């Protein structure tokens, strides 16, 4: 470990102070420790020590003095090195559990409870100290049709199909009960160090089978990591975070903050865990009350989007464990997540027929609500990431190619639906299997769940109309919805989902009923690149007009075009050739008058079309232009002012080509998804 990142592993001891670099010029140094933590350790007669990291070796030193009142521990510091304070009373269960054993199946590995191996590794960068993941899972052999290295790793061993299964299948995904990456001790300790700097309390990493009486009354956050959720054939992986001084006494009932995403170790130690622990820590500081955190892998690391049938039984099981073993109040739960995590948050809240738990607030950001017919119309360059998702989830790297079929004659999109949802029946997907289904909405209504739905326009994953439609439909069914729209935010967040989670969790802790309602509009606060991520709330006099359209189009293949506005608005979306395209005339892509859409808010409308790029459109560079005239106005307006990228000068452009690119390649995504936003013009 480089001294630059200031984190080392003092054996299994839990650091109870931050890591401090000392240059050896002073004989003594005082290191700050949370006074409450020191007092609790003193009551238990715990021994306090200093750990020093020098020349890649760890030494343990006696401390000179402990000032319990001010929370200072004095140490000898004449030797340069990195120092932290530890106690023999608090120990981590290292190495971190993955539930993967690399020795199984002839060295191809396989799931095994409490295994600690990994296919990849989550570690700290040697120079910067930032988290990084190395995962040699993707098959880069161009002759192989498979997306994952199932020749080298028994990713499905013990599941359907046995060790020779090459691709994901319905209810059989990569990383269901194991994590594909092991976590270094230092990467785990970084999570603890961040929480300690915020709250004064470290995180102790616990074995999944730790006895409950060992967890009670501990003056630290505790992460019970790597438990298996579910009682049937199809299970998943979950971790629980307990607050300092956690108790199982009858009067102790804790609200819970839940989130689920992809691979469990990446979830806990990189993607979700830091933000979720930040919320738990801040609400503890603000209210003086603790809450339990729950982090779930949503049914697998890869191949699933948390929509297969067993997830509901798994959710019941993991929440039943939270209620019966970890003293969670089953009616005081907040779910939070974005993207696939937004699907997980929504599905966890809308678990049909569950009597185990109910979610009070579901915070769902940038949810890809399109499955079934809407997804089919997005499989083109307007939503450029969709084909990559098909390849990832079916496990076939060339599934993006026009006309591709599997060995059974199924198209790529039908195989995609069957892998995720167990069916390619469009009506069944719409009514029951999709996260946008009425079945989910009815469950939200029956449980009294309030939904905080946020999305960005110009999202490379999905179309905006789906969020408008879902919010309005849910309201018609009696669900309280706060709908936040971030114009030109794409798959990024116009507000912070975990700040929203903190607001909701604090309301539960303070026993306040939080109103979740209204339509909230956000825009970029500045077009300057350095400030482009800042948001500002605004109140438009009309629904802002915007267009979702591709940056690149291929002659002979489809594109999706959507114009958004309000009822009665006339519009023309025109493609103007640049000077490099000879003998080309402007092309009217869309034109008409917007109607009042049944079931939608009266101030909103849109028109969409999927059309094949005609051979009459010559390859080259074009400019989009949108003309519109609001109902009752005589003036046509040209909204080409705001385009998706900071510092952009000029019109939004479309490049037309005859060559078919690899729609699942990194090069394609780099060309089309900068800032995760597809082209489009916008008033806001």
């Amino acid at each position: 470990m480089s001294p630059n990142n200031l984190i080392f592993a003092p054996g299994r001891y839990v650091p109870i102070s931050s890591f401090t670099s000392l240059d050896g010029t002073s004989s003594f140094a005082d290191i700050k420790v949370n006074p409450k933590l020191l007092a609790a350790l003193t009551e238990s007669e715990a021994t306090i020590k200093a750990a020093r990291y020098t020349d890649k070796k760890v030494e343990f030193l006696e401390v000179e003095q402990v000032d319990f009142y001010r929370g200072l521990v004095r140490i000898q510091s004449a030797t340069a090195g990195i120092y932290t304070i530890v106690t023999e009373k608090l120990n981590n269960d290292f190495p971190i559990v993955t539930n993967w054993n690399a020795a199984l199946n002839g060295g191809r590995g396989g799931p095994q409870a409490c295994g600690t191996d990994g296919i990849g590794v989550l570690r700290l960068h040697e120079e910067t100290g930032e988290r990084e993941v190395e995962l040699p899972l993707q098959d880069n052999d161009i002759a192989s049709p498979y997306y994952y290295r199932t020749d080298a790793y028994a990713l499905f061993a013990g599941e359907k199909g046995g060790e020779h299964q090459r691709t994901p299948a319905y209810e059989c995904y990569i990383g269901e009960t194991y994590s594909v990456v092991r976590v270094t001790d230092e990467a785990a300790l970084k999570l603890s160090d961040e929480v300690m700097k915020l709250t004064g309390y470290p995180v102790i990493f616990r074995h999944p089978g730790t006895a409950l009486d060992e967890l009670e009354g501990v003056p630290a956050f505790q992460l019970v990591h790597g438990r298996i959720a579910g009682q049937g054939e199809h299970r998943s992986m979950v971790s629980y975070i307990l607050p300092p001084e956690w108790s199982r006494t009858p009067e102790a009932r804790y609200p819970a903050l839940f989130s689920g995403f992809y691979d469990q170790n990446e979830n806990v130690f990189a993607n979700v865990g830091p933000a979720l622990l930040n919320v738990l820590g801040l609400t503890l500081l603000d209210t003086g009350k603790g809450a339990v955190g729950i982090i779930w892998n949503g049914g697998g690391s890869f191949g699933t989007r948390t929509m297969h049938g067993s997830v509901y039984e798994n959710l019941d099981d993991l929440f039943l464990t939270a209620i019966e073993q970890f003293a969670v109040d089953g009616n005081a739960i907040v779910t939070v997540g974005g993207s696939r995590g937004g699907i997980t948050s929504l599905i966890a809240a809308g678990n049909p027929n569950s009597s185990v738990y109910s979610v009070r607030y579901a915070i769902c950001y940038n949810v890809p609500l399109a499955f079934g017919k809407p997804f089919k119309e997005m499989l083109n360059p307007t939503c450029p990431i969709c084909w990559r998702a098909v390849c990832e989830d079916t496990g076939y790297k060339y599934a993006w190619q026009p006309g591709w079929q599997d060995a059974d004659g199924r198209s790529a999109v039908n195989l995609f639906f069957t892998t995720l949802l167990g069916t390619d029946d469009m009506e069944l997907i719409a009514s029951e299997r999709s996260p946008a289904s009425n079945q989910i909405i009815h469950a939200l209504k029956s449980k009294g769940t309030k939904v905080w739905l946020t999305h960005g326009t110009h999202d490379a994953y999905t179309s905006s109309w789906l969020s408008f439609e879902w919010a309005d439909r849910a309201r018609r069914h009696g669900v309280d919805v706060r709908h936040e729209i971030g114009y030109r935010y794409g798959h990024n967040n116009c507000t912070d989902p975990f700040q929203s989670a903190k607001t909701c969790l604090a309301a539960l802790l303070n026993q306040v009923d939080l109103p979740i309602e209204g339509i909230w509009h956000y825009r970029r606060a500045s077009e300057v690149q350095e400030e482009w991520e800042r948001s500002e709330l605004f109140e438009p006099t009309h629904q802002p007009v915007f267009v979702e359209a591709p940056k690149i189009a291929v002659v002979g293949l489809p594109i999706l075009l959507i114009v958004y506005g309000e009822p009665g608005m006339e519009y023309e979306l025109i493609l103007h050739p640049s000077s490099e395209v000879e003998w080309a005339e402007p092309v009217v892509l869309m034109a008409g008058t917007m109607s009042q859409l049944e079931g939608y808010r009266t101030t909103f409308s849109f028109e969409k079309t999927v059309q094949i790029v005609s051979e009459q459109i010559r390859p080259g560079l074009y400019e989009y232009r949108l003309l519109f005239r609001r109902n009752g106005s005589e003036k046509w307006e040209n909204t080409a002012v705001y385009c998706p990228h900071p510092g952009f000068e000029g019109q939004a452009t479309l490049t037309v080509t005859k060559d078919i690119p690899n729609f699942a390649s990194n090069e394609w995504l780099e060309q089309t998804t900068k800032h995760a936003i597809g082209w489009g013009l916008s008033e806001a």
Side-chain angles (χ1 to χ4, degrees):
M1 296 292 292
S2 165
N4 291 338
N5 61 39
L6 294 181
I7 290 180
F8 66 92
R12 296 178 63 239
Y13 291 139
V14 175
I16 60 172
S17 74
S18 295
F19 293 84
T20 304
S21 181
L22 300 174
D23 59 12
T25 58
S26 299
S27 299
F28 300 96
D30 290 333
I31 296 182
K32 182 72 175 176
V33 178
N34 182 354
K36 292 182 180 179
L37 178 56
L38 274 179
L41 292 171
T42 302
E43 289 180 10
S44 63
E45 300 182 349
T47 302
I48 307 296
K49 293 184 177 182
R52 181 178 66 211
Y53 183 76
T54 308
D55 298 327
K56 297 185 178 181
K57 293 190 299 186
V58 179
E59 296 180 90
F60 296 97
L61 315 169
E62 301 295 327
V63 301
E64 294 296 309
Q65 182 181 345
V66 179
D67 185 334
F68 299 102
Y69 181 74
R70 293 193 297 164
L72 296 175
V73 177
R74 177 159 293 182
I75 62 170
Q76 291 186 14
S77 58
T79 300
I82 304 171
Y83 291 79
T84 189
I85 305 302
V86 299
T87 171
E88 294 180 344
K89 186 75 174 178
L90 302 179
N91 292 276
N92 287 310
D93 289 333
F94 284 150
I96 296 295
V97 164
T98 60
N99 292 331
W100 177 265
N101 183 342
L104 297 178
N105 298 299
R108 294 175 67 233
Q112 185 178 75
C114 298
T116 58
D117 299 319
I119 296 169
V121 59
L122 192 163
R123 61 191 168 208
L124 300 184
H125 188 278
E126 189 171 344
E127 295 300 323
T128 66
E130 295 303 311
R131 300 172 176 93
E132 63 178 9
V133 172
E134 178 184 335
L135 182 59
L137 192 60
Q138 194 165 335
D139 189 336
N140 296 316
D141 179 1
I142 60 173
S144 169
Y146 302 114
Y147 196 88
Y148 301 105
R149 292 183 61 195
T150 44
D151 58 332
Y153 306 109
L155 300 173
F156 307 102
E159 304 288 343
K160 290 179 182 176
E163 65 177 315
H164 300 298
Q165 185 171 338
R166 303 305 303 268
T167 61
Y170 184 62
E171 295 285 13
C172 189
Y173 307 107
I174 297 171
E176 290 179 324
T177 58
Y178 63 90
S179 175
V180 296
V181 295
R182 66 177 179 86
V183 181
T184 66
D185 297 350
E186 292 81 8
L189 290 175
K190 182 179 179 71
L191 183 66
S192 175
D193 190 57
E194 291 169 342
V195 174
M196 186 159 44
K197 287 175 179 176
L198 176 69
T199 67
Y201 292 107
V203 178
I204 303 176
F205 304 105
R206 298 292 200 182
H207 188 276
T210 304
L212 295 178
D213 56 3
E214 292 183 35
L215 302 172
E216 286 201 86
V218 177
F221 288 93
Q222 297 178 89
L223 174 65
V224 184
H225 178 62
R227 283 197 165 206
I228 305 300
Q231 302 298 321
E233 180 184 359
H234 308 294
R235 297 179 293 167
S236 53
M237 193 170 170
V238 65
S239 302
Y240 299 91
I241 301 169
L242 309 181
E245 306 294 344
W246 174 80
S247 171
R248 284 188 299 156
T249 57
E251 62 273 12
R253 304 304 293 173
Y254 298 89
L257 177 60
F258 167 93
S259 191
F261 203 46
Y262 287 97
D263 183 74
Q264 185 65 0
N265 280 355
E266 274 201 81
N267 280 347
V268 171
F269 295 97
N271 295 330
V272 173
L276 188 139
L277 270 159
N278 183 273
V279 173
L280 295 176
L282 288 173
T283 52
L284 176 65
L285 294 176
D286 291 348
T287 67
K289 302 172 185 176
V292 170
I294 305 173
I295 302 177
W296 182 46
N297 73 351
S301 301
F302 299 101
T304 173
R305 306 289 168 170
T306 315
M307 289 179 291
H308 46 293
S310 65
V311 296
Y312 296 117
E313 296 173 1
N314 280 226
L315 284 162
D316 276 354
D317 186 69
L318 72 87
F319 277 112
L320 187 62
T321 296
I323 293 164
E324 294 183 347
Q325 297 187 29
F326 298 121
V328 164
D329 180 345
N331 297 311
I333 296 167
V334 178
T335 63
V336 59
S339 191
R340 174 181 162 183
I343 293 176
T344 309
S345 177
L346 186 61
I347 282 178
N351 186 347
N353 305 317
S354 174
S355 60
V356 174
Y357 69 97
S358 62
V359 172
R360 292 282 293 278
Y361 304 102
I363 299 157
C364 310
Y365 275 58
N366 298 315
V367 183
L369 291 165
F371 290 91
K373 292 179 182 177
F375 186 82
K376 284 188 173 183
E377 70 182 23
M378 295 190 318
L379 281 171
N380 60 71
T382 306
C383 299
I385 295 181
C386 287
W387 274 120
R388 167 71 77 90
V390 168
C391 294
E392 287 179 344
D393 293 351
T394 62
Y396 290 100
K397 67 162 66 90
Y398 299 119
W400 61 269
Q401 293 179 335
W404 183 93
Q405 292 182 330
D406 72 352
D408 296 323
R410 291 176 294 186
S411 70
V413 67
N414 284 354
L415 178 59
F416 173 76
F417 290 146
T418 302
T419 300
L420 295 185
L421 301 157
T423 182
D424 59 7
D425 183 323
M426 298 294 103
E427 296 304 320
L428 182 59
I429 290 172
S431 63
E432 295 182 17
R433 303 292 175 89
S434 167
S437 68
N438 278 344
Q439 177 175 260
I440 296 289
I441 290 175
H442 292 154
L444 295 171
K445 169 59 179 174
S446 68
K447 295 173 185 293
T449 303
K450 300 182 179 183
V451 179
W452 194 314
L453 181 72
T454 302
H455 80 279
T457 67
H458 307 99
D459 191 331
Y461 289 82
T462 189
S463 301
S464 290
W465 70 268
L466 291 152
S467 293
F468 284 88
E469 190 276 337
W470 191 91
D472 290 351
R473 177 157 47 95
R475 287 182 177 131
R476 291 200 309 274
H477 284 85
V479 179
D480 290 350
V481 180
R482 173 182 173 125
H483 183 197
E484 294 183 341
I485 309 160
Y487 294 92
R488 296 183 300 137
Y489 269 84
H491 208 59
N492 303 305
N493 300 326
C494 60
T495 58
D496 183 350
F498 283 92
Q499 180 59 45
S500 303
K502 177 179 178 292
T503 300
C504 294
L505 186 61
L508 290 179
L509 287 165
N510 292 324
Q511 298 184 342
V512 174
D513 185 33
L514 187 68
I516 301 293
E517 58 191 3
I519 302 167
W520 302 68
H521 301 266
Y522 292 87
R523 62 190 172 197
R524 303 284 184 179
S526 171
E527 297 303 303
V528 178
Q529 186 158 354
E530 293 76 16
E531 300 180 0
W532 205 60
E533 296 303 320
R534 287 197 303 111
S535 301
E536 67 176 13
L537 180 65
F538 74 105
E539 281 292 337
T541 55
H542 301 275
Q543 166 61 50
V545 177
F546 62 98
V547 176
E548 291 176 338
K551 292 180 183 179
I552 300 174
V554 180
V555 173
L557 295 183
I559 57 174
L560 170 65
L561 302 169
I562 312 179
V563 178
Y564 297 84
E566 59 186 355
M569 188 185 87
E570 299 174 80
Y571 65 93
E572 288 187 356
L573 181 62
I574 308 169
L575 204 57
H576 283 261
S578 67
S579 58
E580 71 177 54
V581 186
E582 298 181 355
W583 310 107
E585 297 292 329
V587 177
V588 177
L589 297 172
M590 297 178 68
T593 302
M594 290 191 174
S595 59
Q596 177 64 61
L597 301 175
E598 184 178 354
Y600 286 82
R601 61 200 71 171
T602 58
T603 57
F604 170 81
S605 187
F606 71 96
E607 297 288 342
K608 63 183 172 73
T609 175
V610 178
Q611 55 186 255
I612 302 296
V613 179
S614 169
E615 292 186 0
Q616 296 176 346
I617 300 179
R618 298 172 182 269
L621 186 68
Y622 294 79
E623 294 179 352
Y624 286 112
R625 301 211 184 144
L626 174 67
L627 299 176
F628 69 91
R629 181 164 60 182
R630 296 189 188 279
N631 190 20
S633 173
E634 297 183 358
K635 180 182 178 182
W636 283 88
E637 299 182 50
N638 181 353
T639 180
V641 203
Y642 296 118
C643 296
H645 302 308
F648 182 85
E649 296 180 3
Q651 298 287 333
T653 59
L654 174 68
T655 299
V656 177
T657 177
K658 283 190 174 181
D659 298 326
I660 300 177
N662 181 338
F663 292 126
S665 69
N666 292 332
E667 293 76 17
W668 167 254
L669 298 183
E670 175 64 26
Q671 285 182 295
T672 57
T673 62
K674 186 177 182 182
H675 297 293
I677 299 175
W679 267 135
L681 309 175
S682 177
E683 276 194 295

